[in-house]
Amino acid sequence: MLKRFLPSSLFGRAIIIVVAPVVLLQIVAAVVFYDRHLDQITRRLARSVAGDIGFVAGALTRDKDSLSRFHILQSANLRLNLSFTLKPEQKLKAGPLPQPNAPLEALLIRTIDEGLELAFTIQNRPEKKNYLIQVAFEGGVLRVLVPHNRITSATLEVLILWIVGSSLLLLAIAILFLRNQVRPILRLADAADHFGRGQEVADFKPSGAVEVRRAGAAFLRMRERIDRHIRQRTEMLAGVSHDLRTPLTRLKLELAMLRDVPATAEMRADVDEMEGMIEGYLAFARGAAGESAVETDINALLDEAVADARRQGGVVDFAAIGDLRGRLRPLSLKRCLDNLLGNAQRYAERCTVAATRDGDVIEIIVDDDGPGIPEAEREAAFRPFYRLENSRNQGTGGVGLGLAITRDTVRNQGGDVVLEEAPQGGLRAIIRLPA
Ligand SMILES: Nc1ncnc2c1ncn2[C@@H]1O[C@H](COP(=O)(O)OP(=O)(O)OP(=O)(O)O)[C@@H](O)[C@H]1O
Ligand SMILES: [Mg+2]
């Protein structure tokens, strides 16, 4: 449940982790402040207004002389930040107290009611920024104008301003810092991704926090180890194959000089087979050797592979669809296609090649109408030197490296090869590549 509302990125989560507690704290502080502190302040201010009015009313009651009353009112107006006027001939319309439209106002009315023993009405006049309090006084009315600032304190607005302001500032700082923390992680992910596809990652340097830098350094060491491992394997295979070629050539020469008997023909066939195998090993070694990825037009590559297959007598249907491009290693990929088409030619009559793009994935499908490979053997067919029973009996002369090489090179470019059953009953090989 919660997961759906939380951001999925590290950046978003970190922002929430940093900002949420602070905002929560400020909200709690503001609420408590508003509830307690402000409540008390207002009560005190209201009480002081009620006290002032009561005091003036008391002084006026004691002194009936109009000149003294004038002086009392004058000095009250001067000193109390209230404005008093005495209207002896008016009558106070004693109704119920007005409905307060804010909790603050309710508190104010209640407090004045408690502090002042005379009947009064109170009226908020926001346009004049004051309250008009009319107090029943000796059959007349004592009008008192109470400016808003005598009753409300501006602290709430100031507080909210500070809270919002500081929260925004905090958010800005958090965004600035966290972006810089997340960037090295993204760079590391990119570098690993590119390496997985066999593309160059020239300018990757571990950066950022210690942990991220450690991960980056570990990645670089791992890349170095993998590169070294591949290089060693390739060099060894190439070396062995190359060394075997020389005695094999000698053997061929010696065979050629022998008299033609049935035995020599068989030996020649064996030597040819060995030569084919060694070519296969060398191709395998070459496939892994460092070809770099370039922008490749897959349709052109397919055209070429299909034309080659047709030249060798294959029946191939091929229709190019759309514009298919990707950062790939064209020579290795061409070798993969040659392998698949070669298999189709060797084990089937006709085949169909199709290529499509599905989102970021390019799919190359090679279907044939041969016997196919039973499902249980499909995984094994990818193993080097693995050949199915039927192909061994037919003596079709494969080495069993074609599919191994194909999978190896395609995986090196961040893709994969799978085998399925074709609609026409034979084998379907699908190469999936990142676009
Ligand atoms: N299109 C196909 N139809 C039926 N069987 C196949 C097909 N492709 C491959 N196979 C089986 O899978 C085995 C492995 O194929 P792979 O291409 O790796 O080796 P190969 O074709 O025998 O030799 P190489 O390709 O090295 O010359 C083959 O020996 C064959 O038995
Ligand atoms: Mg093959």
Side-chain angles (χ1 to χ4, degrees):
M1 252 308 265
L2 206 63
K3 236 183 201 164
R4 221 171 334 130
F5 297 105
L6 286 178
S8 58
S9 70
L10 174 64
F11 180 67
R13 287 180 181 188
I15 288 280
I16 284 195
I17 290 172
V18 172
V19 171
V22 177
V23 169
L24 204 72
L25 184 79
Q26 288 185 333
I27 289 173
V28 168
V31 166
V32 169
F33 179 81
Y34 184 83
D35 212 47
R36 302 285 302 279
H37 178 81
L38 218 62
D39 203 82
Q40 245 175 45
I41 293 251
T42 311
R43 200 187 295 271
R44 258 180 223 168
L45 289 173
R47 214 172 273 154
S48 108
V49 167
D52 286 353
I53 297 173
F55 177 77
V56 171
L60 289 175
T61 319
R62 274 192 305 281
D63 222 328
K64 308 271 195 247
D65 176 45
S66 60
L67 186 63
S68 322
R69 280 190 167 181
F70 173 74
H71 282 306
I72 291 169
L73 289 176
Q74 201 184 29
S75 63
N77 285 345
L78 216 64
R79 307 231 159 119
L80 297 180
N81 192 15
L82 297 169
S83 158
F84 290 92
T85 23
L86 193 57
K87 306 261 168 155
E89 64 284 349
Q90 266 185 15
K91 257 235 146 349
L92 181 69
K93 288 191 261 347
L97 289 175
Q99 283 303 308
N101 48 21
L104 236 143
E105 225 163 90
L107 185 69
L108 175 71
I109 293 169
R110 199 150 18 89
T111 314
I112 294 180
D113 196 27
E114 282 163 14
L116 199 66
E117 269 126 40
L118 302 162
F120 72 99
T121 62
I122 181 165
Q123 203 182 334
N124 189 7
R125 305 195 300 185
E127 70 287 347
K128 289 186 179 153
K129 292 201 167 144
N130 61 17
Y131 289 95
L132 170 64
I133 297 178
Q134 307 195 63
V135 185
F137 181 71
E138 286 180 354
V141 169
L142 179 63
R143 280 167 59 100
V144 190
L145 294 178
V146 184
H148 277 171
N149 63 12
R150 265 223 58 179
I151 286 181
T152 50
S153 81
T155 32
L156 183 67
E157 285 86 349
V158 174
L159 181 78
I160 286 177
L161 215 72
W162 272 101
I163 286 179
V164 172
S166 61
S167 296
L168 287 181
L169 192 71
L170 180 92
L171 189 71
I173 293 174
I175 286 176
L176 232 93
F177 272 86
L178 285 172
R179 258 232 304 269
N180 285 340
Q181 294 310 302
V182 170
R183 204 174 298 136
I185 301 177
L186 290 178
R187 262 210 297 269
L188 175 60
D190 273 350
D193 216 29
H194 279 104
F195 178 60
R197 288 187 198 160
Q199 294 166 358
E200 283 298 316
V201 236
D203 57 345
F204 176 73
K205 264 202 213 78
S207 61
V210 179
E211 291 86 348
V212 182
R213 220 176 302 173
R214 251 179 69 186
F219 163 72
L220 281 182
R221 282 197 299 274
M222 184 191 75
R223 187 177 71 173
E224 181 55 35
R225 270 199 300 273
I226 292 177
D227 277 345
R228 200 167 49 224
H229 180 77
I230 291 176
R231 227 178 305 125
Q232 268 173 3
R233 188 193 69 171
T234 315
E235 277 165 10
M236 199 176 85
L237 198 57
V240 169
S241 308
H242 194 264
D243 289 353
L244 281 178
R245 253 177 166 177
T246 323
L248 204 62
T249 317
R250 264 205 309 273
L251 206 61
K252 252 177 120 177
L253 273 176
E254 285 158 12
L255 271 175
M257 286 193 283
L258 282 183
R259 242 178 342 109
D260 265 341
V261 288
T264 48
E266 275 170 32
M267 280 162 83
R268 246 177 238 136
D270 280 345
V271 168
D272 281 346
E273 193 183 336
M274 275 170 81
E275 212 174 10
M277 285 179 183
I278 284 170
E279 285 308 320
Y281 299 151
L282 280 171
F284 189 47
R286 268 200 305 276
E291 182 192 1
S292 49
V294 292
E295 193 68 25
T296 309
D297 180 356
I298 291 173
N299 274 324
L301 213 64
L302 280 170
D303 262 340
E304 224 175 286
V306 168
D308 283 355
R310 283 188 184 143
R311 224 179 342 228
Q312 282 159 32
V315 185
V316 186
D317 297 329
F318 168 56
I321 318 162
D323 182 38
L324 293 175
R325 285 168 185 286
R327 274 194 80 75
L328 301 162
R329 300 171 176 169
L331 286 181
S332 317
L333 194 61
K334 171 76 173 15
R335 218 168 285 137
C336 295
L337 294 170
D338 288 345
N339 279 329
L340 293 182
L341 288 172
N343 281 352
Q345 269 178 72
R346 193 181 280 164
Y347 306 109
E349 297 284 307
R350 50 185 311 143
C351 75
T352 316
V353 180
T356 55
R357 181 189 185 135
D358 182 14
D360 321 339
V361 183
I362 294 171
E363 274 191 354
I364 302 172
I365 303 172
V366 181
D367 287 342
D368 66 44
D369 59 353
I373 301 180
E375 192 164 356
E377 298 234 48
R378 281 181 199 152
E379 192 48 43
F382 281 114
R383 289 213 294 266
F385 311 115
Y386 187 90
R387 305 182 59 201
L388 266 63
E389 258 335 295
N390 58 352
S391 84
R392 248 181 233 149
N393 294 344
Q394 276 169 11
T396 36
V399 184
L401 274 175
L403 287 176
I405 293 173
T406 302
R407 181 186 253 186
D408 206 57
T409 32
V410 171
R411 282 190 175 171
N412 265 337
Q413 305 184 53
D416 204 2
V417 189
V418 288
L419 296 180
E420 286 171 12
E421 198 183 315
Q424 58 263 53
L427 187 74
R428 159 174 282 189
I430 307 177
I431 296 183
R432 293 204 176 92
L433 290 165

